[in-house]
Amino acid sequence: MFASLFVLLYAAHLAANYPLQTDHQAKHKADCGATGWAANLAHAGTHAATSALALVVAVVVLDLPVGVLQVMLALTWIAGTHAVIDRRWPVAHWMRLARQTAWAQNGGAAHVDLLCTSAGTRAPEARKSVTPSDQ
């Protein structure tokens, strides 16, 4: 069951971060003010919606025993963590604490961006490094 849920939720995560994220969301989700929060929450909502669809597939198609409480907790966690992480300053702060600023300045998870670029679905946010100045 875990492997099936992992694959479904990871596919939903990639879909929400790349082909389903709008250019506006990618560009503005870390901005200060109402515009930034609106873009951020819309993107987090996309994560929740794609994850909900993945969990529906798990229950209806794969007949996995996933309860309503587990689904609600998972969707809250997924949307909430994305809303915080995509503000970018928490990641920049973590990179400083972990002494990984050089890694962040060089583009971070380039292997993910390379994979998505090869598939032709690279999001505009992937071009932006997470640096301490992003706070």
Side-chain angles (χ1 to χ4, degrees):
M1 180 169 103
F2 174 79
S4 298
L5 288 173
F6 175 81
V7 169
L8 288 169
L9 290 173
Y10 187 61
H13 174 84
L14 291 177
N17 261 353
Y18 294 99
L20 298 178
Q21 180 173 208
T22 67
D23 289 343
H24 177 79
Q25 290 170 352
K27 184 175 181 183
H28 297 287
K29 66 185 177 184
D31 291 352
C32 295
T35 301
W37 275 109
N40 179 281
L41 294 175
H43 178 59
T46 302
H47 273 283
T50 57
S51 296
L53 180 61
L55 292 171
V56 166
V57 168
V59 171
V60 174
V61 177
L62 301 179
D63 198 30
L64 296 179
V66 182
V68 173
L69 179 61
Q70 290 107 340
V71 167
M72 297 311 293
L73 289 172
L75 295 178
T76 301
W77 175 259
I78 289 165
T81 55
H82 276 90
V84 171
I85 290 170
D86 283 342
R87 295 301 290 173
R88 295 198 182 109
W89 69 264
V91 175
H93 180 69
W94 175 254
M95 290 287 100
R96 282 192 307 280
L97 285 175
R99 298 181 181 185
Q100 295 295 319
T101 53
W103 182 80
Q105 289 170 348
N106 289 322
H111 61 285
V112 174
D113 293 337
L114 180 61
L115 173 67
C116 291
T117 301
S118 298
T121 58
R122 184 174 184 189
E125 78 169 78
R127 296 182 203 119
K128 182 178 183 347
S129 299
V130 176
T131 63
S133 64
D134 286 339
Q135 26 180 336

